[in-house]
Amino acid sequence: MKLEGVFLDSRLGRRIFLLFVLAATVPTMLLSALAYNGWTRFAAAQEEERLTQATRYFALTVLDRLLAARAALDAVELDPRAAPGDERLLGIFRSIVIVPSTPAEGPGEGTRSTVSWLRHAADQVPARVIIRSRDDTTGLTRIAELETNYLWSEAFDEASGEQVCVFAGNGVQIFCSASVDIAASEARPADARTASWNLFLRHEFGVDDWRFTVLKSGGAALRNGVSFVHIAWQVVLASVLLVVILSLVLVRRTTVPLHKLTVGTRRLAAGDYGVRVDVHGADEFGELGTAFNDMAGRIGRQVHQLEVLSSIDREILEASGAARLVRRALARLAELSLGASVGIALIDPATPAQLSCSLHAPGGESCEQELALTPALQAALLVHDGAWRRAADAPALADLLAALGWPAETVYVSPARWREQTLGVLLVSQGMAASPDAAWELQVGELRDRVAVALASAARERQLQHRATHDSLTGLLNRAGLHEALEQAVHAQQSLALMLIDLDRFKVVNDTMGHEAGDELLIGVAQRIGRCLPRGALVARLGGDEFVALVPDTASGHIDEIADELVLHVGRPVMLRGTQIATGASLGVAMFPADGQTAADLLRHADMAMYAAKARGRAQVARFEPALDSAAVEHAVLSRDLTHAVERGELRLHYQPRVDARSGAVRSVEALVRWQHPTRGLLMPGAFIELAEETGLIGDIGHWVLHEACRQLATWRREQVALETVAVNLSVHQLRTPAIVDDVFAALRSHGLAATELELEVTESVMVGDVQGTSRLLAQLRAAGVRIAIDDFGTGYSSMAYLRYLPVDVLKIDRAFVKDIGSDASADIVVRAIVGLAGSLGLVTVAEGVETAAQAQLLTEMGCGELQGYHFARPLPPEALPQAVRARATPAAANAASVA
Ligand code: C2E
Ligand code: CA
Ligand code: CA
């Protein structure tokens, strides 16, 4: 019996066992003790009774013998000479004498006979017993001595260990079977029992009673007692043994299932969901075992489902792709629907006419195929939300099942939807081993929902991926996508040519015709580039008007041909919104692996080659070579550095005073940006503004300038520097974003300036492109009080007619005219006309680039309102300005202005 482990291990088992053993042994022992006690007492009483009986019997036997002896004696012939020859007397009497009766010898009164005893010595036992019998008719007395044997022998059972003593009336012992005097208690053994009986002799023999005492040593009773104890012990032991066995059986029946259940529960708690307990039977343990197994099974299934779902979730998070995910879901679906064919049909929103199916047949083989998703099939698949559909009811469904090779007539269709979009359908054929119930539908539903989320996430991932690597305008690869492709090619050691194409006059188109036209042009260019390239080539747009073509290098001459063709085609004039536009293109080529080992190197070198091509003139192709034109390299490097200039705080503002033409006092300043380059020193706007506009950095730079200029004017206000306004140059790019209005107001507000203290200088180029939008922005600013100045007035190609409706306060006459006045009559005419026109429109005129006193005087005479130029002051760092303003505030200075 495999008991030990269980029994010893189980505390409950030990407790029950001990309880049983105690419950059995204690009463048994107690009962035994009581029984033993009662039994010994009963036995003693019995013994005593028996002994008394024996004593009585012995005494009566002796009496009988005495009476018989007397009768025999009485029958003896009274002839004294006659010998006692009677045979019958032999054995009874030792001797008989007949004597004449004497009163002295006669028996006591009333009796004719008497019995007496005779001892020669005090210790003679047995004593000699003598009977006298008087014959009153003859006057003779018969006296006889009895044979000892006759009287005493076989009168008691010597074999039973009994001893008997007989005492005469005076207490003298006349017979004793033992050598000791049993009447004396000290001579008796401790366990001896005695019984006495008084034999009444007075009536027959006229003497006192003889006392019979029988002694029995206790051995027999004791022996009986011992055997009783022995038996009692055996009974106790047997019953205890029985109890032990029974209790062990019971304990085993209780603790073994309990142990199994405990172990099972522990294992279940430890996550072993496959655990089942081997506890059967019709009792509660059996029920518990069945319930436990059911529960473990259910928990296991649920945990498994959760695991699969969470593994799907994990894959959603890890974005490990829809394919793996669908495989996982399929496996789970097959597990849920044992015996049936299962499938997941994927509907790609990008190509809605196509349905790819992943199917698991019950045999385990799987197939993946693409099928046409006809509208009828779509209707058959998509309208039902987790329902059994009969193929017979929907022919399209029947066709699908036939195409899949499913013989099923009924199929469970459960569409995986995400935000109203169906991304896939779970399919289960009929013929499942277990009939589908609500729990099954629930689990399939859960799975389907995860699949929906997973597919949506995968689709979004793909979309993001596409967006991250593609240019939204042209659909080409973007910079990141190009990098990726380039890295791959480099990794694969696939020799190729990297061609960087830059449009020559794109900025002009963009500025003059607006962004939309610019976008149109870029799309056209992208298409034309694509048409020039061989199969296997990739095109990317790096941003702005820069394109890159990755062309597999088949033969070197071939590459040159392609490059030339690209420049030719891209540079060809196109019609854009009714205008013929000719944007030339410059192209730089870097070869892999000859010109660089990494994607970054290759791009940089192609960039250098492209700048070299630009430097050679328009519409040129240049191949990278180590000794490329340093100016082109510089341009490339500079544009890279500029991207960090704002965040690194490398920009500065200098301020050039504008003086009142009449008084010579400084009325305002123009903020002019400078770039404190870490290695090249202080750079002028000419070196980087165009670059900033090309790269779009002008937005950040302009924002910084605006806020910095406002901050500075506010500072000067606090320092009592007498300035009316600060003028800030706005790039046309800034005016293309409506946010500029808020930005201007924010700058004013945050530095506590009034709108009238700010002047914004814009060039005439704002008059082309989206004129209405720009004028609306300017009008908004002007309405708030901000002054608007047209910078470089007269250099633009537009007519002056716009001045009528453009919200403007100031005209800044370009230096080109100012430079020539006094020496070139036509310049004088133009300036005079501008001043006149401005006056008639109520605008202030400011002359720029006034370098001489003569120019200043002439301009003053022409009616120009304010003057600005080296003649008065160069652009000054902010700390130098207060001094310059104060110097010009004196009347002398004013004089100097007008006189000089
Ligand atoms: P601009 O707005 O026409 O600015 C006047 C330019 O003429 C300044 O050149 C100034 O130093 C120069 N100048 C002033 N007086 C004289 C003179 O008497 N003789 C000569 N020869 N030149 C004179 P700068 O500072 O190099 O600025 C060049 C251009 O950069 C500016 O032309 C403006 O278009 C642009 N710019 C400057 N700062 C900013 C700015 O913060 N934002 C934008 N968008 N453009 C700016
Ligand atoms: Ca300006
Ligand atoms: Ca100017």
Side-chain angles (χ1 to χ4, degrees), residues 483-803:
H483 257 277
E484 216 169 84
L486 202 49
E487 297 275 8
Q488 274 172 16
V490 167
H491 185 73
Q493 288 296 307
Q494 175 197 350
S495 47
L496 54 84
L498 192 155
M499 301 180 182
L500 198 144
I501 306 152
D502 188 270
L503 303 187
D504 288 334
R505 276 180 298 278
F506 177 71
K507 187 173 138 24
V508 178
V509 174
N510 217 21
D511 287 356
T512 56
M513 301 182 70
H515 273 301
E516 279 171 30
D519 288 352
E520 231 172 90
L521 180 67
L522 288 174
I523 292 168
V525 167
Q527 286 165 351
R528 271 182 282 163
I529 293 175
R531 278 199 291 272
C532 296
L533 294 175
R535 273 179 81 92
L538 285 176
V539 193
R541 178 173 166 238
L542 293 189
D545 54 354
E546 271 187 343
F547 293 86
V548 166
L550 284 187
V551 185
D553 182 19
T554 43
S556 202
H558 189 58
I559 292 295
D560 286 336
E561 265 171 41
I562 294 171
D564 286 340
E565 204 168 320
L566 273 174
V567 168
L568 192 73
H569 269 81
V570 171
R572 220 169 248 167
V574 286
M575 285 300 285
L576 199 61
R577 310 200 164 183
T579 316
Q580 202 179 45
I581 307 273
T583 50
S586 305
L587 194 153
V589 183
M591 303 297 295
F592 175 75
D595 296 339
Q597 294 299 312
T598 66
D601 275 356
L602 284 169
L603 262 173
R604 200 156 46 83
H605 290 165
D607 203 35
M608 284 183 186
M610 192 272 290
Y611 277 112
K614 270 206 166 126
R616 279 179 213 166
R618 306 273 143 155
Q620 291 289 321
V621 172
R623 274 199 179 220
F624 172 77
E625 48 196 86
L628 267 183
D629 181 15
S630 65
V633 177
E634 194 178 345
H635 187 94
V637 171
L638 205 62
S639 70
R640 189 189 60 215
D641 293 349
L642 186 60
T643 54
H644 306 298
V646 178
E647 63 196 53
R648 289 178 186 163
E650 292 170 0
L651 296 182
R652 308 274 178 273
L653 280 186
H654 283 186
Y655 298 88
Q656 187 173 33
R658 247 158 64 172
V659 302
D660 187 283
R662 305 247 158 251
S663 70
V666 179
R667 299 189 63 173
S668 60
V669 288
E670 180 181 0
L672 295 160
V673 72
R674 306 287 182 262
W675 178 10
Q676 187 66 53
H677 191 278
T679 54
R680 291 159 201 250
L682 193 67
L683 298 181
M684 292 293 130
F688 62 91
I689 284 294
E690 197 183 350
L691 196 62
E693 285 174 337
E694 280 173 19
T695 54
L697 285 168
I698 192 68
D700 290 346
I701 294 175
H703 172 83
W704 179 83
V705 169
L706 189 61
H707 282 257
E708 173 59 16
C710 289
R711 190 197 63 77
Q712 187 60 65
L713 182 64
T715 306
W716 283 329
R717 279 267 177 284
R718 287 195 293 275
E719 294 170 2
Q720 316 282 317
V721 181
L723 283 175
E724 286 170 22
T725 55
V726 64
V728 169
N729 293 283
L730 274 196
S731 160
V732 69
H733 288 262
Q734 286 171 275
L735 276 170
R736 298 279 183 236
T737 55
I740 185 69
V741 178
D742 288 338
D743 200 18
V744 168
F745 292 155
L748 291 170
R749 210 171 31 245
S750 60
H751 299 290
L753 295 184
T756 48
E757 293 174 89
L758 180 67
E759 190 175 298
L760 296 176
E761 299 188 5
V762 297
T763 61
E764 285 168 308
S765 59
V766 299
M767 289 309 114
V768 285
D770 182 15
V771 182
Q772 278 184 348
T774 312
S775 353
R776 211 177 311 120
L777 295 184
L778 290 177
Q780 254 174 288
L781 290 165
R782 190 160 175 269
V786 178
R787 306 208 321 163
I788 307 295
I790 299 289
D791 203 356
D792 305 340
F793 187 75
T795 56
Y797 40 87
S798 321
S799 74
M800 285 185 191
Y802 67 85
L803 283 179

